[in-house]
């Protein structure tokens, strides 16, 4: 098969076979992986759940992992990471992504607004070390907040599908019961598995009279009357008194992650805590301010950000990146910015999308930047 | 610093303030286009790609009927159009980084390869960097005559120049191979400036790219048509020739017609951005024509606009051309344009004329512009 593709690519050289096939149908590819959106569900306010049918290169995901999807918005291709919410080893070749429309989130707003069945998106293989081990832990504690629910939901559904015999507690923090996606699944799991406990917390609502049972999902417990509603040691003791023998998986906003980490560090249980951070890249307020570190990752060199262009900073750090015109026209010095924010000194525009090629001679780092040279 | 230009209507002096102002106006024009880039440009590029792939498949398919002369001709025509579009409106422009903003992995200047024997990375060095940075500066822009030809009176004459019309003809026919050899800088190898390890890398790259191209056009596709092997081979050779002749014509019209200016290193030392823009305008020439003509030339018929803004999508050049032309008129600068016939005619006239020593044909003062720098206007008699 591979030899045949290579032979055909001799004929399509210098372009790859996919560059021809995609013009017939975007999902007709031999190498590039894509996915077609087959279903969209906007029943939960503020988020959309997409069902995707990947092309045949898809190898499946492990509960907790993420994929990257790419969409074109106003002519520009943007990629973002999302964790499939469905259980691993699904029999049908499809994945579900739940996307929360973040204020100012370009891709999430676009998907929330415009994703329709039939739309084709780019897809990368599932990746990430935040995942259930092959040998399932006897006791599992899953903690999430907001859109951090997605990877742990996949873990919860996987354990439920497998008829996991041990104890499982799922503790989720959300603004309100209405914005918790997949409550029907949560409710079904809570009813069907006596050894699974699902607890929702809406600390922003404390003060209001909370009913014990979630009307949308009768099997799911709402916040009990006692406690602050936020995560702390007492809460942990209450929901999972066996947490010291469990494996704990946490995903959510930084405040929640820090609160959990603090308790586990105090208990010296760091090695049983697994975390995944969903960081939103936010462009700094003042793009001309100079601070932070520039990390030239391919050469293992780091230097303090001086505010000069990346080409000049690389050269003063003793590196010799390829360059040409030094004025932004020849693209000889293009290199990939792994992380961080850079400012185009010609246009003043700043950008912080990860893994983007930029021109070193007209880009200045804003804060910490990792560049692949 | 003063730039003094002399036009047919007499001398013209641009003050540093005017140069600065012109640069600012061009920067604004660029920013307006950059802000407007979007779906329209993406759709345009993809429509050209679709057309190119369609012509290519049609051309390859029609070769199976190549034993019938009308079909052979149609096959050659389709394949020629495909190769021209691939090299000019797609390859040249994508490799300039004109579409990098789309973040489309396959259409990024870092990775794109074209249907040409010259490897993309070498072309980007000799063209994007050397030619576009040092446009028309003697001893820095190797596109002035491509080392083979004397295209400017500033280049010395010797007896070998007599054969230059023949060299130009051969270069035209084998243009893609000429482009491939460009980055080797043979004169720098001979003078010892370019060392063997670097030369070896370039030759290896050329071997890898060219062998694939040759294998595809001159062996695999002909073999696939079985008994029509020689028909297909001849068809593919012809299509490559057509592309070569066309590319040569368009590219030679960009900087060699009558009226374009060349510069010295002293003149252009420590250029400001405004001065850089002016050099690009004085050193380039346009070709007038229909919309189809502009597409088939990769919009290099708007060479002036391309040299001002090499990283803007080329399909935008026609829409900014009136503004650029108006700016030229405002500052009294020439805007060198004309029909393909006029421009290519003056190119060939120059090739023949400069084959002879200056004293035989007379050093006819160029009617265009003289650029004076680092001097006060009074020193040049104004």
């Amino acid at each position: 098969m591979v030899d045949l593709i290579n032979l055909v690519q001799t004929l399509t050289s210098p372009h790859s076979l996919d560059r021809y096939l995609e013009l017939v149908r975007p999902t007709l590819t031999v190498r590039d992986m894509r996915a077609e959106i087959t279903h969209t569900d906007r029943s939960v306010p503020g988020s959309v759940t997409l069902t995707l049918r990947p092309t045949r290169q898809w190898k499946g995901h492990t509960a907790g992992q993420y994929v990257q999807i790419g969409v074109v918005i106003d002519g520009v291709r943007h990629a973002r990471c999302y964790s499939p919410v469905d259980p691993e080893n699904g029999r049908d070749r499809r994945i579900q992504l739940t996307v929360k429309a973040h204020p100012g989130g370009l891709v999430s707003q676009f998907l929330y607004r415009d994703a329709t069945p039939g739309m084709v998106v780019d897809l990368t293989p599932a990746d990430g070390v935040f995942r259930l081990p092959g040998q399932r832990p006897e006791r599992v504690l899953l903690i999430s907040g907001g859109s951090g629910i997605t990877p742990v939901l996949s873990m919860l559904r996987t354990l439920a599908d497998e008829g996991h015999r041990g104890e499982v507690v799922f503790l989720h923090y959300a603004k309100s019961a209405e914005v918790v996606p997949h409550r029907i699944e949560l409710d079904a799991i809570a009813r069907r598995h006596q050894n699974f406990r699902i607890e929702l917390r809406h600390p922003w609502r404390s003060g209001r009279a909370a009913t014990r049972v979630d009307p949308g999902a009768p099997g799911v417990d709402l916040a009990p009357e006692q406690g602050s509603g936020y995560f702390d040691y007492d809460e942990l003791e209450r929901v999972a008194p066996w947490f010291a023998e469990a494996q704990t998986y946490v995903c959510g906003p930084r405040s929640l992650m820090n609160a959990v980490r603090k308790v586990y560090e105090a208990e010296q249980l760091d090695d049983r805590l697994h975390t995944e951070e969903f960081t939103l890249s936010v462009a700094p307020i003042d793009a001309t301010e100079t601070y932070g570190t520039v990390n030239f990752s391919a050469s293992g060199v780091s230097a303090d950000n001086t505010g000069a262009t990346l080409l000049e900073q690389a050269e003063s750090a003793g590196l010799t990146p390829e360059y040409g015109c030094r004025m932004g026209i020849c693209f000889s010095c293009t290199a990939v910015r792994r992380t961080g924010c850079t400012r185009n000194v010609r246009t003043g525009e700043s950008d912080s999308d990860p893994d983007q090629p930029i021109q070193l001679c007209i880009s200045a780092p804003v804060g910490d930047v990792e560049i692949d040279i | 610093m003063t730039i003094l230009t002399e036009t047919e209507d007499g001398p013209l002096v641009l003050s540093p303030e005017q140069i600065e102002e012109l640069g600012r106006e061009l920067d604004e024009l660029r920013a307006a286009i950059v802000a407007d880039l979007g779906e329209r440009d993406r759709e345009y590029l993809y429509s050209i790609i679709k057309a190119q792939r369609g012509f290519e498949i049609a051309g390859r398919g029609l070769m199976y009927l190549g034993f019938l002369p009308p079909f052979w001709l149609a096959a050659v025509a389709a394949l020629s159009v495909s190769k021209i579009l691939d090299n000019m409106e797609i390859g040249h422009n994508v490799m300039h980084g004109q579409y990098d903003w789309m973040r489309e992995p396959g259409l990024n200047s870092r990775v794109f390869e074209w249907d040409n024997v010259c490897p993309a990375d070498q072309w980007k060095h000799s063209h994007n960097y050397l030619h576009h940075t040092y446009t028309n500066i003697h001893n820095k822009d190797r596109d002035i005559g491509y080392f083979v030809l004397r295209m400017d009176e500033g280049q010395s004459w010797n007896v070998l120049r007599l054969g230059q019309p023949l060299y130009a003809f051969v270069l035209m026919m084998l243009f893609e191979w000429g482009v491939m050899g460009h980055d080797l800088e043979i004169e720098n190898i001979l003078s010892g400036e370019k060392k063997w390890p670097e030369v070896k890398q370039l030759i290896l790259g050329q071997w890898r790219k060219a062998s694939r191209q040759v294998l595809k056009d001159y062996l695999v596709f002909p073999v696939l048509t079985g008994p029509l092997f020689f028909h297909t081979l001849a068809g593919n050779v012809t299509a490559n020739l057509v592309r070569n002749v066309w590319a040569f014509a368009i590219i030679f019209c960009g900087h060699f017609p009558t009226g374009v200016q060349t510069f010295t290193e002293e003149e252009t030392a420590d250029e400001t951005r405004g001065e850089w823009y002016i050099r690009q305008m004085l050193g380039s020439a346009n070709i007038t024509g229909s919309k189809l003509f502009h597409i088939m030339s990769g919009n290099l018929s708007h060479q002036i606009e391309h040299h001002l803004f090499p990283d803007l999508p080329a399909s935008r050049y026609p829409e900014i051309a009136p503004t650029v032309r108006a700016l030229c008129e405002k500052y009294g600068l020439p805007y060198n344009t004309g029909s393909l016939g006029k421009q290519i005619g003056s190119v060939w006239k120059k090739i023949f004329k400069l084959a002879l020593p200056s004293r035989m044909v007379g050093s006819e003062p160029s009617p265009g512009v003289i650029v004076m720098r680092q001097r006060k206007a009074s020193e040049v008699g104004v």
Side-chain angles (χ1 to χ4, degrees):
Chain A
M1 186 65 187
V2 170
D3 288 342
L4 184 66
I5 291 169
N6 281 337
L7 188 71
V8 177
Q9 289 204 152
T10 307
L11 302 179
T12 63
S13 168
H15 312 299
S16 79
L17 183 55
D18 283 345
R19 299 287 83 79
Y20 286 79
L21 294 174
E22 70 189 358
L23 299 177
V24 180
R25 192 152 51 81
T27 50
L28 187 67
T29 54
V30 292
R31 294 259 161 83
D32 293 0
M33 185 158 70
R34 302 218 167 104
E36 185 182 340
I37 297 175
T38 57
H39 186 73
T40 58
D41 177 359
R42 293 182 173 82
S43 59
V44 174
S47 68
V48 58
T49 294
L50 311 171
T51 307
L52 303 176
R53 185 173 56 222
T55 49
R56 52 168 191 84
Q57 300 87 347
W58 175 248
K59 301 262 188 298
H61 78 285
T62 306
Q65 283 189 310
Y66 62 85
V67 296
Q68 205 177 65
I69 66 170
V71 291
V72 175
I73 303 168
D74 194 23
V76 183
R77 190 169 287 285
H78 297 271
R80 292 290 186 277
C81 295
Y82 295 103
S83 292
V85 292
D86 40 359
E88 66 180 61
N89 301 323
R91 278 165 298 281
D92 48 350
R93 298 180 42 77
R94 51 165 210 147
I95 47 172
Q96 272 192 341
L97 304 177
T98 294
V99 178
K100 181 172 181 264
H102 289 284
L106 183 69
V107 173
S108 65
Q109 290 283 353
F110 169 82
L111 290 171
Y112 180 64
R113 223 175 33 239
D114 298 332
T116 48
M119 186 184 276
V120 174
V121 300
D122 283 355
L123 182 69
T124 61
D127 198 8
V129 294
F130 184 72
R131 56 188 189 196
L132 285 179
Q135 175 78 40
R136 307 302 190 208
E138 173 65 15
R139 285 166 160 162
V140 181
L141 172 57
L142 307 170
I143 304 172
S144 61
S147 52
I149 188 175
T150 53
V152 291
L153 184 60
S154 177
M155 294 178 176
L156 181 73
R157 290 168 76 179
T158 301
L159 292 170
D161 271 15
E162 291 170 355
H164 186 69
R165 297 297 191 84
E167 278 180 280
V168 179
V169 164
F170 172 63
L171 176 61
H172 179 66
Y173 293 84
K175 286 216 163 71
S176 70
E178 295 77 43
V179 297
V180 177
H182 306 283
R183 278 185 302 156
I184 296 169
E185 282 83 0
L186 290 177
D187 192 38
I189 290 167
R191 286 197 216 205
R192 214 175 298 139
H193 302 269
Q194 293 307 310
N195 51 332
F196 282 45
R197 269 187 73 195
I198 296 171
E199 305 230 7
L200 300 183
R201 297 286 183 273
H202 311 303
W204 294 269
R205 279 195 161 182
S206 59
R208 287 210 214 160
T211 44
R212 275 290 293 154
V213 176
D214 182 352
V220 178
D221 287 344
L222 276 178
E225 301 290 332
Q226 71 270 39
S228 65
Y230 291 98
F231 182 88
D232 55 17
Y233 183 84
D234 293 344
E235 180 80 286
L236 183 61
E237 268 284 314
R238 198 153 46 231
V239 297
W242 36 257
F243 70 91
E245 287 95 57
Q247 294 293 338
T248 301
Y249 298 85
V250 192
C251 182
R254 190 163 292 171
S255 54
L256 174 68
M257 309 263 283
N258 287 345
V260 177
R261 215 173 274 135
K262 219 171 91 187
V263 172
Y264 275 70
E265 269 165 19
E267 298 291 311
Q268 293 184 319
L269 289 169
D270 314 37
D271 56 326
R272 294 184 165 265
L273 183 66
H274 312 275
T275 58
E276 173 96 309
E277 203 155 354
F278 281 3
T279 40
L280 290 174
S281 47
V282 181
I285 314 289
D286 183 4
T288 52
E289 208 175 295
T290 53
Y291 61 93
T293 308
V294 184
N295 177 14
F296 304 100
S297 55
S299 15
V301 175
S302 286
D304 284 342
N305 178 7
T306 61
T309 65
L310 277 165
L311 181 57
E312 287 165 11
Q313 297 206 34
E315 286 171 341
S316 25
L319 305 178
T320 52
E322 195 187 334
Y323 67 87
C325 65
R326 301 184 82 101
M327 58 191 291
I329 61 162
C330 79
F331 288 73
S332 302
C333 62
T334 304
V336 176
R337 177 193 57 224
R338 291 292 166 211
T339 59
C341 176
T342 56
R343 176 175 53 93
N344 181 322
V345 296
R346 237 167 45 166
T347 64
E349 273 175 28
S350 54
D351 179 66
S352 53
D353 276 359
D355 297 327
Q356 287 305 319
I358 55 163
Q359 291 167 275
L360 299 179
C361 70
I362 52 160
S363 298
V366 182
D368 294 332
V369 166
E370 184 190 337
I371 187 98
D372 194 16
I373 52 172
Chain B
M1 187 175 301
T2 306
I3 284 191
L4 181 138
T5 69
E6 192 172 304
T7 67
E8 285 155 336
D9 306 327
L12 168 91
V13 183
L14 287 186
S15 70
E17 291 75 30
Q18 283 174 301
I19 296 165
E20 187 96 333
E21 176 62 18
L22 173 61
R24 203 160 39 235
E25 286 175 280
L26 286 167
D27 278 338
E28 270 171 31
L29 179 60
R30 180 180 189 280
I33 298 292
V34 168
D36 189 48
L37 293 178
E39 196 59 44
R40 169 157 73 105
D41 304 272
R42 182 188 186 85
E43 275 172 16
Y44 173 80
L45 181 62
Y46 270 98
S47 70
I48 297 292
I49 289 175
K50 269 188 188 162
Q52 183 266 317
R53 304 284 144 91
F55 277 114
E56 173 161 22
I57 291 164
R60 304 289 184 192
L62 283 166
M63 288 291 179
Y64 284 88
L65 297 168
F67 57 95
L68 299 165
F71 286 95
W72 185 85
L73 282 173
V76 170
L79 201 53
S80 305
V81 170
S82 155
K83 282 176 180 283
I84 286 168
L85 286 175
D86 180 286
N87 284 187
M88 306 191 83
E89 187 68 326
I90 305 169
H92 171 271
N93 295 336
V94 168
M95 290 191 290
H96 257 294
Q98 293 181 0
Y99 295 92
D100 278 15
W101 58 270
M102 292 199 327
R103 300 180 173 184
E104 198 60 51
L107 294 171
N108 188 285
S109 59
R110 292 165 74 232
V111 298
F112 194 83
E113 266 294 351
W114 55 349
D115 187 9
N116 190 300
V117 290
C118 177
D121 57 340
Q122 296 187 23
W123 181 83
K124 283 185 284 187
H125 179 257
S126 59
H127 180 87
N128 283 8
Y129 167 39
L130 293 177
H131 171 58
H132 272 274
T133 311
Y134 306 112
T135 311
N136 284 22
I137 301 177
H138 280 291
N139 300 323
K140 292 198 103 173
D141 179 5
R142 301 186 62 265
D143 281 28
I144 303 178
Y146 304 96
F147 173 61
V148 200
L149 305 173
R150 181 177 178 234
M151 295 307 291
D152 190 85
E153 282 174 6
Q155 291 167 291
S156 64
W157 184 88
N158 60 52
V159 73
L160 287 173
R161 300 293 191 194
L162 288 169
Q164 129 160 332
L166 177 68
Y167 313 151
F169 181 79
V170 172
L171 177 62
M172 175 173 78
M173 302 307 276
L174 301 176
F175 195 58
E176 66 167 332
W177 298 93
V179 171
M180 181 184 87
H182 198 35
D183 201 36
L184 271 181
E185 306 181 357
I186 292 169
E187 75 275 24
N188 289 339
I189 298 175
L190 295 178
S191 71
E193 260 176 68
K194 224 167 180 151
K195 296 282 176 270
W196 174 242
E198 191 190 346
V199 175
K200 194 175 134 191
Q201 278 308 310
L202 293 172
I203 290 176
L204 264 176
Q206 294 175 358
W207 166 254
R208 263 185 242 118
K209 180 74 198 292
S211 61
R212 269 201 300 269
Q213 290 290 122
V214 166
L215 182 74
K216 171 182 81 157
D217 275 346
Y218 305 146
L219 187 68
V220 180
F221 271 113
V223 163
L224 284 174
T225 53
L228 295 178
F229 181 91
F230 287 106
H231 289 83
T232 309
L233 177 63
N236 293 355
V237 169
T238 312
N240 277 328
L241 272 181
V242 171
R243 181 265 318 271
N244 285 350
V245 171
W246 179 256
F248 173 92
I250 297 299
I251 287 156
F252 269 60
C253 286
H255 301 285
F256 303 138
T258 307
V260 295
Q261 298 288 289
T262 55
F263 310 87
T264 63
E265 287 184 58
E266 299 82 64
E267 280 172 341
T268 53
D270 303 319
E271 256 180 347
T272 65
R273 185 156 178 83
E275 288 164 349
W276 184 85
Y277 272 137
I278 288 177
R279 174 159 58 84
Q280 301 302 328
M281 292 197 285
L282 297 178
S284 309
N286 282 6
I287 317 167
T288 55
S290 67
K291 192 174 177 207
L292 182 64
F293 171 76
H294 292 314
I295 292 172
M296 291 305 287
S297 66
N299 277 298
L300 295 177
S301 45
H302 290 96
Q303 190 74 230
I304 298 171
E305 288 74 20
H306 174 55
H307 263 268
L308 291 173
F309 311 117
D311 60 342
L312 286 187
S315 63
R316 296 292 193 137
Y317 297 152
E319 71 186 60
I320 61 173
T323 313
V324 172
R325 191 172 190 153
L327 281 173
C328 284
E329 276 163 21
K330 180 176 162 188
Y331 291 93
L333 293 163
Y335 185 83
N336 192 335
T337 187
S339 68
L340 180 63
K342 179 195 156 199
Q343 299 294 58
I344 196 79
S346 76
V347 168
W348 278 102
K349 195 178 138 201
K350 190 182 266 185
I351 290 171
F352 275 89
K353 203 184 119 186
L354 294 180
L356 301 168
S358 301
R359 59 185 155 77
M360 283 181 71
V361 286
S363 180
E364 150 190 342
S366 114
V369 182
I370 304 159
V371 175
M372 309 292 289
R373 296 204 33 195
Q374 315 274 20
R375 288 194 198 176
K376 292 207 167 62
S378 57
E379 289 176 32
V380 290
V382 178

